Amino acid sequence: MTATQEPPAHAIGVRGDGFPSGDLTLLRFHVEQALVTDTEGLSEAELIDQIQEIESLQASLAALQASRIRAFTQANVDSHRLDDRTDVDKIHRSVVAQIQLACRVSTTEARTRVANARDLRAGLDDVRRLHETGQLSAAKVTAVAVECRDLDTTQRARVDARLAAVPDLIRYGIGRLRAMTRRLVAEIAPDRFRARVHAARAERRVTLRPAPDAMSYLTAYVPVEQGAACLAALQKAFVEVQVDPQPLTRTRGQVLADTLVERVTGQATATAVNLEVQVTVPIQALLNPTSPLPAEIPGLGPVPADLLASPEGTKSLRRLLTDHGIVIGGDSRQRTFTGLLATLVRARAQNRCTEPYCDAPVRHLDHIRRDADGGRTELENGRGVCEFHNHVREQPGWHIARAPDGTVVTRTPTGHTYRGPD
């Protein structure tokens, strides 16, 4: 066992019996001590007991964080009430951006946490109490809150009461809890539920996300009947391949995937890709054929350099040479980033927003030092950001600068600073 250490001198809220009374510094001290404690003397049952207790503690801490997020949001709104010209949307955007940086999460997750903190105090009282006592995790609370997002406080309270009356609610999985909440919403607020369904259909889209091992996820967000029809058509294609006299050399999943690519692109085969693809290739990989360094498709991740030399398809590859991850580029006298310079800025950012903790795709090319302040349109002064963060920096109190080590530093209205990724 490790030697017992005294709590930090600046820890407050310690009663005479040594138990904490809410001080976060002391709580961190106890966690640090638990991390270095020898567990060899604990039985398997004792370890499971601790794992369960830690899970409950995580849920309670998430509830505590939600209460602080709500308090910060309210304080931020109150501080702007004297200015009647202030745009409420701009205040909310600034709040979300600061929560995103403080919690080290994506902008979407920050929006969800801000909304949850609001809704848990606007009708979801029973759900909030289960969250505070560690019986419902943050993921389960989010599942409920998201389904109730479009309801007013009274309707949300009715859903909350119905959920609280469900026996063994805390034993439900996230999917089952979400489905139950959705059914209750449809029953209690049918008009709002119908409106949300119509709004969702207007949001149909197709997205592409990186996957491990030089793969990607192509996702279609479409009405359920259309999704079912697409899958049925692909399954029918597999049946046709099965009855073909030729030997079956592909699995069912491979046939479905290949058929999807062929029908969407109009290609004769899935591998006959005829598209210009931008890749960054380490110069070391060109100088040394045995180099293990991979090439990379910005925004989609690494691919083996030798795969780019495959004779399959008629890929047109635009190669950008890198040295230790740095893309070599030039500058421009234009006010906006265009042409090759824009390509280089996006490639250096790997087509992901360079704001800390944000993984959103690059939508805007931003001057680190504003053009209005004399900033030049050159690679060193450019950064790729999402639409949200490009607008946030224009709010009062936000400052962006490049540090001597090359990283981009963001300072928020509260005076906190955050360094972007290298």
Side-chain angles (χ1 to χ4, degrees):
M1 301 292 288
T2 58
T4 302
Q5 299 182 21
E6 292 298 323
H10 58 282
I12 60 173
V14 183
R15 300 199 302 265
D17 56 6
F19 287 95
S21 61
D23 179 67
L24 297 179
T25 303
L26 184 59
L27 178 60
R28 177 178 290 277
F29 170 79
H30 284 296
V31 171
E32 291 174 349
Q33 290 303 297
L35 285 170
V36 299
T37 298
D38 189 358
T39 59
E40 291 185 0
L42 298 176
S43 67
E44 293 180 3
E46 289 172 327
L47 288 171
I48 287 294
D49 288 341
Q50 289 196 9
I51 291 171
Q52 289 178 331
E53 186 63 29
I54 292 169
E55 184 65 22
S56 295
L57 180 60
Q58 284 181 327
S60 297
L61 285 174
L64 175 62
Q65 186 186 64
S67 72
R68 298 301 186 264
I69 290 175
R70 181 176 180 273
F72 171 75
T73 302
Q74 189 62 50
N76 200 275
V77 171
D78 291 343
S79 67
H80 291 85
R81 280 184 174 172
L82 295 178
D83 186 359
D84 295 334
R85 297 170 300 176
T86 301
D87 188 339
V88 175
D89 290 338
K90 291 182 179 179
I91 297 176
H92 181 263
R93 192 181 296 131
S94 180
V95 167
V96 169
Q98 293 183 74
I99 295 300
Q100 178 251 323
L101 291 168
C103 295
R104 307 170 192 172
V105 295
S106 68
T107 304
T108 300
E109 174 65 16
R111 283 197 185 98
T112 298
R113 294 193 185 189
V114 171
N116 287 354
R118 176 198 63 209
D119 294 345
L120 286 174
R121 293 280 179 175
L124 295 177
D125 295 339
D126 289 315
V127 170
R128 188 187 74 249
R129 280 190 282 270
L130 290 173
H131 191 27
E132 291 171 346
T133 56
Q135 298 180 75
L136 282 182
S137 68
K140 291 182 179 180
V141 169
T142 297
V144 173
V146 168
E147 294 301 327
C148 297
R149 193 73 82 217
D150 299 326
L151 306 185
D152 59 34
T153 302
T154 301
Q155 293 169 328
R156 200 177 289 124
R158 290 179 61 188
V159 174
D160 182 68
R162 293 280 294 275
L163 288 175
V166 175
D168 301 327
L169 180 70
I170 61 176
R171 293 186 175 90
Y172 280 30
I174 295 176
R176 189 177 178 186
L177 185 60
R178 181 185 292 111
M180 175 183 292
T181 306
R182 187 177 296 139
R183 286 194 296 271
L184 290 174
V185 170
E187 176 185 340
I188 292 172
D191 292 340
R192 288 180 180 266
F193 177 72
R194 191 177 298 107
R196 191 166 69 179
V197 169
H198 287 297
R201 288 174 175 255
E203 294 293 326
R204 58 190 182 277
R205 59 190 177 274
V206 177
T207 57
L208 184 68
R209 294 183 294 113
D213 305 322
M215 301 293 284
S216 62
Y217 296 107
L218 178 65
T219 304
Y221 182 69
V222 295
V224 61
E225 69 276 8
Q226 295 179 13
C230 289
L231 183 59
L234 295 176
Q235 290 173 336
K236 181 180 178 181
F238 176 67
V239 173
E240 294 172 351
V241 172
Q242 277 186 310
V243 300
D244 192 286
Q246 296 295 328
L248 184 62
T249 59
R250 295 177 293 170
T251 66
R252 177 178 177 275
Q254 290 172 340
V255 172
L256 266 61
D258 292 347
T259 303
L260 173 65
V261 173
E262 291 163 4
R263 293 189 177 180
V264 170
T265 62
Q267 300 166 184
T269 62
T271 56
V273 178
N274 187 12
L275 178 71
E276 180 177 275
V277 179
Q278 175 186 297
V279 295
T280 58
V281 183
I283 192 170
Q284 293 85 352
L286 295 180
L287 298 177
N288 180 11
T290 63
S291 172
L293 296 177
E296 185 159 350
I297 300 177
L300 293 177
V303 294
D306 57 354
L307 187 65
L308 303 179
S310 170
E312 291 184 340
T314 56
K315 303 181 186 71
S316 177
L317 303 178
R318 175 183 290 181
R319 297 189 302 182
L320 303 176
L321 296 183
T322 64
D323 187 11
H324 296 90
I326 299 175
V327 179
I328 302 173
D331 60 4
S332 170
R333 294 184 180 180
Q334 298 183 10
R335 186 181 183 278
T336 58
F337 294 91
T338 59
L340 179 60
L341 180 56
T343 299
L344 293 174
V345 174
R346 290 179 182 273
R348 183 177 60 183
Q350 299 181 1
N351 206 35
R352 292 191 180 277
C353 179
T354 55
E355 194 70 16
Y357 319 117
C358 185
D359 278 334
V362 169
R363 300 297 185 198
H364 293 208
L365 301 182
D366 185 33
H367 290 76
I368 296 174
R369 186 184 180 195
R370 292 185 178 90
D371 177 77
D373 297 332
R376 299 181 61 186
T377 305
E378 59 187 5
L379 185 62
E380 181 67 16
N381 194 43
R383 66 167 188 159
V385 291
C386 64
E387 182 177 1
F388 175 84
H389 281 111
N390 189 38
H391 292 318
V392 161
R393 73 162 297 182
E394 301 301 326
Q395 304 305 313
W398 289 83
H399 299 279
I400 311 295
R402 188 178 291 281
D405 63 358
T407 59
V408 178
V409 178
T410 298
R411 187 169 81 243
T412 70
T414 57
H416 291 78
T417 59
Y418 302 87
R419 286 183 176 270
D422 294 334

